[in-house]
Amino acid sequence: MTTARAPRPTAAAEWRALGTTVRLVVTDPALLDSCNLLLARQLAEVDAACSRFRADSELAALDTTHGRPVRVSPLLAEALAVALRAAEATDGTVDPTVGSAMDEIGYDRDFTRQARETDAETDRDAEEDDHRAWPCTSAWRSSTAT
């Protein structure tokens, strides 16, 4: 005969960072605040070093060096090493060097900013044409698999 264990107490926090939802769950509720602070700081450091959407990021500054050798922080060096290992492991399917091409196709800001701008454009379009059959959306949103 087995007995059911009482569930362990947990606590959670959720917020937005790096263009996605972060959910932190701890098994000791007393540690939630300190773990939350620790993780938020770490993610802020990653954002400051690695964001291609922040003009003040270390990655953005690196992009202005036009290939000249420069010193980078250990955090950015680690991120670049991981990205290059991923490219090698996937035989180039993962490619950390496509930032300029992504900009050219419109992925030049994070998803949250894109959504706000798209919503604002849709609102402006709706004000201009109240008889439109449906709001402007990306083609993939209206596509269906057959």
Side-chain angles (χ1 to χ4, degrees), residues 8-141:
R8 295 181 76 174
T10 62
E14 193 169 291
W15 70 96
R16 303 257 330 142
L18 305 177
T20 191
T21 301
V22 177
R23 180 161 172 80
L24 170 65
V25 180
V26 295
T27 56
D28 183 347
L31 297 176
L32 180 62
D33 289 342
S34 60
C35 291
N36 193 356
L37 182 61
L38 181 67
L39 181 56
R41 283 182 183 162
Q42 183 69 34
L43 292 174
E45 290 174 12
V46 169
D47 193 41
C50 303
S51 177
R52 61 183 285 266
F53 305 116
R54 290 178 51 166
D56 64 341
S57 76
E58 188 177 1
L59 183 62
L62 182 62
D63 196 35
T64 66
T65 66
H66 305 289
R68 291 186 313 275
V70 294
R71 274 193 201 279
V72 298
S73 69
L75 181 57
L76 182 57
E78 180 183 2
L80 293 171
V82 168
L84 292 173
R85 282 196 306 272
E88 186 175 322
T90 63
D91 198 26
T93 300
V94 173
D95 186 347
T97 66
V98 297
S100 296
M102 298 300 287
D103 284 348
E104 289 175 18
I105 63 170
Y107 184 50
D108 56 354
R109 56 207 175 282
D110 70 31
F111 291 132
T112 302
R113 188 170 153 209
Q114 274 184 329
R116 280 194 311 262
E117 291 172 2
T118 299
D119 289 346
E121 289 169 10
T122 300
D123 290 345
R124 278 193 306 274
D125 290 345
E127 289 172 7
E128 292 172 10
D129 182 6
D130 289 336
H131 303 291
R132 187 176 56 203
W134 53 78
C136 294
T137 59
S138 299
W140 66 266
R141 292 179 191 223

